């Protein structure tokens, strides 16, 4: 029989609005003794049904909702969770994703604790699919403890629904439980693990296919899906890259044919650079890409990816917090400032805000007049107004006359829920410098 937890009187307002979290101090009794991740039915103080999900007595977020429907009796079971993922897959297909994308985005896809990326991969003329999963809560870690069986069933159903062309034999599954956030749930941080391999594919150096930002084709990007950062690739900037690349194409059509210089700060494997190169080369421009990252292996992938699209590539192995003074002023037509999250906890906010200011100050220093700066933040704890303020100060420090010409945000494969503001984290602004 499922454990029942009740809320304190008056503590049900947020969960009734559809928010998926309940904190331990909102429960009428202590959750101590509950098996971490085990199913829970949540009721209000009068015993009326509110939601079903799972609980963890060791987490400040004691309860996470999987369903607000009283008819869903086993929300941690494979059938329920597979159907949730398939629904998310349908959303991505409806939004036009044809290559790789984030398939499940935790609470924003009504599957708290599951981050799941889908990669369309190609090697030696063959294509296949790879699922890269992060199980970041005790509840999801328990629900998917037989992960191989879960994904086999998911693949079979995806084929039946016409969502995927690939069979289980053409599928790899990688568990990426190497994220520190698991510690907040009392879970161990584990080494990456390939639980279903693809014969003939080298997942440490494989090409993934993504929607082209400036055309209807697919772009190839080499990366490491077995041990690379996050799940091997950063998929969250897809929408912002699409918006910015089409802006840059319109601008390029007003320019004489010449070499366009692009600076890509914190480039990782070069998603921005590769897409920009592809778009500008299609218009007949020569493109020089300057790649900046602290990771030698990431730079190697980024160089390979940009060169595949025809760029001339310069590599700078630098720490952006210290090394940007080495790069020239007023030299680049396009500067991309897309760092990793500078703010990972509330105590990081003051230092992180300064880091965004410092990086963008350099970005505005290094861009030419009549050029662009794309400023990004993936720090959920940084309010958008604070990010805009950092960009404003950075431009003023360089005596720049700028226009904010583009505002980005989340792509359809990183959806958001109005009732879950914690899911909004991605910010992007492009400024034109006069």
């Amino acid at each position: 029989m499922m454990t029942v937890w009740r809320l304190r009187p008056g503590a049900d307002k947020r969960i009734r609005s559809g928010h998926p979290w309940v904190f331990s101090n909102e429960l009428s009794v202590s959750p101590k003794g509950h098996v971490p991740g085990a199913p829970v039915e949540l009721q209000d103080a009068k015993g009326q049904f509110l939601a079903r999900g799972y609980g963890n007595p060791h987490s400040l977020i004691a309860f996470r909702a999987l369903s607000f429907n009283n008819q869903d009796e086993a929300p941690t079971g494979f059938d329920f969770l597979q159907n949730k993922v398939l629904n998310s897959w349908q959303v991505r297909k409806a939004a036009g994703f044809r290559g790789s994308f984030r398939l499940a985005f935790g609470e924003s896809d009504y599957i708290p604790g599951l981050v799941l990326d889908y990669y369309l991969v190609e090697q030696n003329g063959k294509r296949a699919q790879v699922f890269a999963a992060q199980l970041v809560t005790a509840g999801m870690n328990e629900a998917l403890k037989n992960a191989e069986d879960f994904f086999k069933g998911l693949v079979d159903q995806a084929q039946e629904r016409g969502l995927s062309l690939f069979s289980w034999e053409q599928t790899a599954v990688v568990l990426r439980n190497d994220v520190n956030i698991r510690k907040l749930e009392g879970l161990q941080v584990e080494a990456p693990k390939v639980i279903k391999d693809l014969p003939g594919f080298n997942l440490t150096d494989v090409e993934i296919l993504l929607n082209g930002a400036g055309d209807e084709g697919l772009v190839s990007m080499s990366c490491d899906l077995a041990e690379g950062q996050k799940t091997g690739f950063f998929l969250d900037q897809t929408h912002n890259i699409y918006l910015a690349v089409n802006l840059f194409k319109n601008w390029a059509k007003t320019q004489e044919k010449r070499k366009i210089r692009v600076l890509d700060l914190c480039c990782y494997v070069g998603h921005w650079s590769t897409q920009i190169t592809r778009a500008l080369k299609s218009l007949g421009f020569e493109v020089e890409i300057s790649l900046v990252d602290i990771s030698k292996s990431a730079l190697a992938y980024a160089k390979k990816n940009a060169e595949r699209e025809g760029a001339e590539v310069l590599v700078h192995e630098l720490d952006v917090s210290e090394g940007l003074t080495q790069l020239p002023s007023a030299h680049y037509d396009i500067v991309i400032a897309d760092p990793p999250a500078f703010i990972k906890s509330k105590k990081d906010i003051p230092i992180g805000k300064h880091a965004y200011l410092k990086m963008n100050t350099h970005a505005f220093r290094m861009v030419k007049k009549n050029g662009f700066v794309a400023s990004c933040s993936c720090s959920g704890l940084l309010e958008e107004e604070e990010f805009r303020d950092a960009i404003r100060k950075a431009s003023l420090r360089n005596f720049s006359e700028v226009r904010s010409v583009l505002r980005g945000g989340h792509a359809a494969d990183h959806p958001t829920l109005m009732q879950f503001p914690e899911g909004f984290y991605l910010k992007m602004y492009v400024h034109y410098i006069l």
Side-chain angles (χ1 to χ4, degrees):
M1 186 175 179
M2 188 178 296
T3 299
V4 174
W5 285 353
R6 288 190 179 183
L7 294 177
R8 296 167 56 189
D12 57 346
K13 182 177 180 181
R14 190 174 62 254
I15 195 81
R16 287 188 185 280
S17 75
H19 195 287
W21 294 352
V22 169
F23 296 95
S24 57
N25 62 0
E26 295 174 317
L27 298 172
S28 63
V29 296
S30 169
K32 186 177 180 181
H34 183 75
V35 177
V40 170
E41 178 178 309
L42 187 73
Q43 300 178 353
D44 66 13
K46 297 180 180 179
Q48 294 181 325
F49 172 85
L50 292 172
R52 289 195 181 102
Y54 55 79
N56 187 350
H58 305 312
S59 173
L60 179 62
I61 304 170
F63 173 83
R64 297 177 193 257
L66 286 164
S67 173
F68 296 91
N69 186 343
N70 196 21
Q71 301 302 309
D72 294 327
E73 296 182 353
T76 59
F78 277 9
D79 288 346
F80 180 88
L81 294 174
Q82 285 166 348
N83 190 59
K84 285 287 188 182
V85 174
L86 291 167
N87 288 343
S88 298
W89 206 328
Q90 187 67 51
V91 171
R92 277 60 171 174
K93 290 293 185 181
F97 285 92
R98 293 169 285 107
S100 304
F101 48 85
R102 174 145 292 175
L103 178 51
F105 187 39
E107 282 83 352
S108 294
D109 277 309
Y110 300 93
I111 322 172
L114 178 63
V115 176
L116 178 61
D117 286 341
Y118 174 89
Y119 293 107
L120 175 61
V121 299
E122 187 172 63
Q123 201 159 53
N124 300 322
K126 296 181 179 180
R127 289 187 179 181
Q129 63 186 5
V130 177
F131 295 93
Q134 293 177 332
L135 312 179
V136 299
T137 61
M140 201 53 57
N141 198 68
E142 176 65 20
L144 300 190
K145 60 185 177 183
N146 297 319
E148 186 170 352
D149 291 341
F150 174 83
F151 282 102
K152 186 178 187 304
L154 179 68
V155 168
D156 291 343
Q157 291 186 59
Q159 275 193 296
E160 290 176 10
R161 292 199 191 185
L163 295 170
S164 172
L165 299 174
F166 299 106
S167 67
W168 181 240
E169 289 70 29
Q170 298 166 295
T171 301
V173 179
V174 185
L175 283 185
R176 296 303 307 267
N177 292 335
D178 52 340
V179 286
N180 286 328
I181 194 172
R182 282 170 57 90
K183 295 179 181 178
L184 299 177
E185 289 278 309
L187 299 172
Q188 294 292 318
V189 175
E190 303 170 352
K193 183 180 181 181
V194 178
I195 62 172
K196 168 66 169 64
D197 211 345
L198 271 171
F201 282 76
N202 176 14
L203 295 183
T204 63
D205 189 359
V206 68
E207 290 180 22
I208 67 171
L209 302 176
L210 304 115
N211 287 36
D215 56 57
E216 294 300 312
L218 291 172
V219 176
S220 295
M221 298 283 297
S222 297
C223 62
D224 180 355
L225 294 185
E227 297 182 349
Q229 293 182 41
K230 297 293 185 181
T231 64
F233 194 83
F234 290 86
L235 291 163
D236 52 359
Q237 289 289 14
T238 302
H239 176 63
N240 292 331
I241 292 173
Y242 178 86
L243 293 174
V245 162
N246 282 278
L247 174 67
F248 300 154
K249 282 183 71 174
N250 288 331
W251 163 79
K253 291 172 184 176
T254 70
Q255 306 295 303
E256 295 182 358
K257 290 294 186 293
R258 58 181 176 84
K259 180 184 289 185
I260 295 178
R261 292 189 173 93
V262 179
L263 175 63
D264 191 353
L265 302 174
C266 302
C267 65
Y268 190 47
V269 299
H271 191 190
W272 280 94
S273 297
T274 301
Q275 294 275 21
I276 293 170
T277 298
R278 180 185 177 94
L280 296 180
K281 291 287 288 188
S282 73
L283 297 177
F285 288 88
E286 293 302 311
V287 182
E288 178 189 282
I289 300 289
S290 293
L291 300 168
V292 177
D293 204 280
I294 197 170
S295 168
K296 184 175 292 186
S297 60
L299 286 167
Y301 282 116
K303 184 174 187 292
K304 179 180 179 180
N305 291 327
E307 286 181 341
R308 185 187 290 120
E309 294 296 335
E312 175 188 341
V313 177
L314 306 175
V315 172
H316 304 274
E317 187 180 339
L318 295 174
D319 182 343
V320 295
S321 65
E322 302 295 338
L324 294 184
T325 55
Q326 302 176 32
L327 300 178
S329 299
H331 183 73
Y332 303 97
D333 297 285
I334 299 169
V335 177
I336 307 298
D338 182 17
F342 285 144
I343 301 172
K344 296 183 179 180
S345 64
K346 289 185 177 180
K347 66 179 177 59
D348 299 329
I349 290 176
I351 295 174
K353 287 167 63 175
H354 179 73
Y356 284 111
L357 171 59
K358 184 177 179 180
M359 186 175 192
N360 281 280
T361 298
H362 280 295
F364 281 102
R365 172 184 66 80
M366 294 184 288
V367 71
K368 292 179 180 178
K369 290 189 180 301
N370 304 313
F372 296 94
V373 171
S375 305
C376 307
S377 168
C378 59
S379 296
L381 292 171
L382 179 70
E383 297 291 337
E384 187 154 6
E385 184 176 347
E386 294 176 317
F387 185 52
R388 288 198 301 265
D389 191 53
I391 297 171
R392 176 187 64 82
K393 290 177 180 177
S395 66
L396 290 175
R397 284 184 174 186
N398 288 281
F399 307 101
S400 302
E401 184 179 333
V402 305
R403 303 286 190 277
S404 183
V405 292
L406 187 64
R407 179 187 181 189
H410 288 248
D413 66 335
H414 286 68
T416 51
L417 301 178
M418 295 300 108
Q419 66 268 33
F420 185 62
E422 294 86 348
F424 290 82
Y425 74 97
L426 194 62
K427 299 164 278 286
M428 188 274 286
Y429 288 88
V430 177
H431 284 81
Y432 183 70
I433 292 78
L434 291 169

